[in-house]
Amino acid sequence: MDCSFLEAVYVPGQDVIVTSEPGSGKTGAFIFPIMMYIQRKDRLHYALVLEPTRELAVQVTDQFKRLGHYLGLKVVSLTGGDSLERQAQVLNKLRPHVIVGGVWMNAATFELNTSHLTPMCVATPGRLLHHLTETKNFSMEFLKLLLAVSQVLDEADRILKNSQSKDKLEKILNLLPKERQTLLFSATMPEGLKGMEKLSLRDPVDIRADRLLSPRLEHFFVYGQVVHREYYLAALLEGHFFTQRVLVFCNTWYDTVRLHNLLGTLGFKPLMLHSKMTQAERNKNLNQFKKISHSHLVATDVASRGMDLPEVAAVINFDLPKKEEEYTHRVGRTARAGKTGTAISFVTKENKGYFLHMEKSTLKDQQMKPFKLIMSAKDALKVYKDKVDQAKDLANFVSGTPSHLSPKYEPIGLKYHKILWSQ
């Protein structure tokens, strides 16, 4: 963790903006000050932490529980699914000190830990706004610390560009006390965040890292035709990362389902994560991915935001991200906390121009190198074509609904690695 984060955050009343590479300890830089403030006996401190996804809200809640267990911290989580009435009853009874929530969600599961002394709450801004305006006797009038965290409130410029999200945030800020400390953390800080500063920050200290990507992360690309990407992906996963944890990104939930089913048909045991899944399904797959060291997760950008995934060996961009800054967040899931990692992007004739522009603006002093497959691209097509084409047909057949969490058919099975990779 960069100590300059903590030095700035620990100054009472000082607004702060922090821009730093993924995995550099930004979450701890706001959790530790919250725990310190809440321990103080001279006055109460209340905090609001904003998150972009339910997964991050759950992750931050777990970190609060682990780090604050011996301090007597109590955690309440609002991250989708529970009734408004039940939440209102608990809020009126508990009067939480800390609310952690997401920007894009309107509902959440409710967790309550009543075994300790100091209450903390994890929520979503959509649900928070409802309780601030509708729930009797509930307000944030004692709020002392507002944490708008863009390692967790990822891409805050999207809030300002999305009228509904911007209106929601403005309404929440208008209901908060004028005297508060605001902290903004981000792995990227686009121009759009200037509007966010006007909404919630006053003369902030701006801490920016020299680089936004880990120097221990290697960047590669695989160039080929769009229709050949599945062949190359099969060659990569089987020949290079068969026994390692890999995260594969697609741009849409439909392509995520289709690619997940294709890999399952080929004999891999993939997991998937996208916005059309229920929260229970998302939690189950994430937990499996974290527990199994040789798992492959196919996901949309739901998995790109601040997720602390253990020892991901490689991030593969099956689809290039739609926005250049998204690349930083995606590849930031590997090479975290001092470890090394690999990022591989599939480049085609159609997106070559965008790729070169993204490489120049994102990597700056670094450069992407062509990834050397164990076999040549020509051999990969020859070896994988029949199996992958057959798997494509099956995957397309079962991809009509997002409810398919696992293939409903027998895997075709790839056995080439037992022969080719041993030669």
Side-chain angles (χ1 to χ4, degrees):
M1 183 187 299
D2 192 333
C3 292
S4 62
F5 299 171
L6 293 175
E7 291 173 2
V9 172
Y10 272 109
V11 177
Q14 176 66 66
D15 289 354
V16 181
I17 301 175
V18 175
T19 308
S20 180
E21 69 181 67
S24 59
K26 293 185 290 293
T27 303
F30 69 80
I31 287 181
F32 289 124
I34 287 179
M35 294 193 302
M36 183 199 72
Y37 290 147
I38 290 179
Q39 284 186 90
R40 294 175 62 175
K41 302 298 183 181
D42 56 334
R43 58 178 177 173
L44 293 175
H45 284 76
Y46 293 77
L48 169 64
V49 180
L50 301 179
E51 307 274 357
T53 66
R54 292 172 246 179
E55 285 73 23
L56 284 179
V58 171
Q59 177 177 291
V60 171
T61 301
D62 290 341
Q63 291 171 335
F64 268 119
K65 288 180 179 179
R66 290 199 304 269
L67 295 173
H69 177 76
Y70 295 104
L71 298 177
L73 297 178
K74 189 192 305 181
V75 181
V76 175
S77 176
L78 300 171
T79 52
D82 198 35
S83 69
L84 287 166
E85 292 76 12
R86 181 172 180 268
Q87 291 177 3
Q89 291 174 1
V90 176
L91 287 172
N92 276 322
K93 179 179 179 180
L94 203 62
R95 304 301 295 271
H97 287 113
V98 178
I99 295 177
V100 183
V103 168
W104 310 108
M105 303 166 296
N106 291 318
T109 320
F110 197 76
E111 283 180 35
L112 183 57
N113 179 350
T114 58
S115 60
H116 297 300
L117 300 176
T118 306
M120 304 173 68
C121 183
V122 181
T124 66
R127 186 56 63 94
L128 169 66
L129 181 59
H130 176 92
H131 286 301
L132 285 172
T133 55
E134 303 295 335
T135 300
K136 186 178 180 180
N137 298 326
F138 176 71
S139 72
M140 299 294 291
E141 60 181 302
F142 295 111
L143 184 76
K144 299 295 183 183
L145 181 67
L146 169 65
L147 296 178
V149 187
S150 202
Q151 167 223 350
V152 285
L153 192 145
D154 284 308
E155 303 308 323
D157 59 325
R158 288 195 299 176
I159 303 173
L160 299 175
K161 292 177 182 178
N162 184 300
S163 59
Q164 291 183 346
S165 300
K166 181 179 178 180
D167 291 343
K168 186 183 298 182
L169 183 61
E170 286 179 341
K171 290 177 181 177
I172 291 175
L173 293 175
N174 288 334
L175 293 170
L176 300 179
K178 300 296 182 183
E179 294 300 321
R180 62 176 184 258
Q181 181 181 8
T182 301
L183 312 175
L184 178 63
F185 289 77
S186 179
T188 56
M189 197 66 70
E191 290 296 317
L193 285 178
K194 291 180 179 178
M196 170 65 92
E197 295 173 27
K198 294 178 181 178
L199 287 174
S200 60
L201 294 142
R202 293 165 295 185
D203 300 320
V205 173
D206 196 344
I207 302 173
R208 294 177 182 265
D210 294 333
R211 63 167 69 230
L212 298 180
L213 291 171
S214 170
R216 298 170 297 279
L217 175 59
E218 291 190 280
H219 306 266
F220 298 94
F221 67 89
V222 174
Y223 185 79
Q225 297 181 37
V226 173
V227 294
H228 291 167
R229 288 181 302 167
E230 288 86 355
Y231 310 142
Y232 297 142
L233 179 62
L236 277 171
L237 294 182
E238 190 176 27
H240 298 267
F241 302 106
F242 194 73
T243 59
Q244 294 175 290
R245 189 179 284 116
V246 178
L247 183 53
V248 182
F249 279 106
C250 297
N251 283 341
T252 67
W253 71 262
Y254 184 87
D255 285 338
T256 300
V257 174
R258 185 186 65 82
L259 192 60
H260 164 270
N261 291 340
L262 184 147
L263 293 176
T265 310
L266 290 173
F268 296 99
K269 296 181 179 179
L271 301 164
M272 69 177 173
L273 188 69
H274 59 76
S275 61
K276 298 294 183 181
M277 297 168 64
T278 67
Q279 191 58 44
E281 293 166 343
R282 289 159 73 166
N283 291 343
K284 178 182 177 181
N285 285 3
L286 262 181
N287 289 334
Q288 283 187 283
F289 184 65
K290 291 178 180 180
K291 291 178 181 178
I292 304 174
S293 61
H294 56 278
S295 54
H296 302 142
L297 177 66
V298 185
T300 61
D301 283 324
V302 167
S304 72
R305 309 297 180 175
M307 296 299 296
D308 188 15
L309 303 172
E311 298 184 11
V312 174
V315 169
I316 299 176
N317 289 309
F318 186 80
D319 294 322
L320 290 183
K322 293 180 180 180
K323 295 182 180 180
E324 295 173 9
E325 58 266 25
E326 291 285 349
Y327 182 82
T328 299
H329 290 281
R330 284 185 178 187
V331 302
R333 299 317 102 210
T334 185
R336 297 175 66 84
K339 296 182 175 63
T340 59
T342 301
I344 304 171
S345 297
F346 286 179
V347 183
T348 66
K349 180 180 178 180
E350 290 77 10
N351 64 22
K352 181 179 178 181
Y354 170 69
F355 165 76
L356 293 174
H357 184 270
M358 183 187 72
E359 178 188 26
K360 182 178 179 180
S361 63
T362 305
L363 299 187
K364 296 181 180 179
D365 58 334
Q366 295 176 283
Q367 188 176 9
M368 287 197 190
K369 299 172 287 186
F371 189 88
K372 295 182 179 179
L373 292 167
I374 288 181
M375 61 173 66
S376 69
K378 183 177 180 180
D379 287 340
L381 292 179
K382 182 179 179 180
V383 168
Y384 288 100
K385 189 176 188 310
D386 290 342
K387 292 283 188 180
V388 171
D389 285 348
Q390 184 181 352
K392 277 184 182 181
D393 292 337
L394 286 172
N396 289 330
F397 176 75
V398 299
S399 294
T401 169
S403 63
H404 293 283
L405 297 183
S406 59
K408 306 298 182 183
Y409 38 77
E410 290 297 321
I412 296 171
L414 292 177
K415 299 180 181 179
Y416 302 113
H417 68 279
K418 295 180 181 178
I419 302 172
L420 294 173
W421 309 144
S422 62
Q423 295 179 355

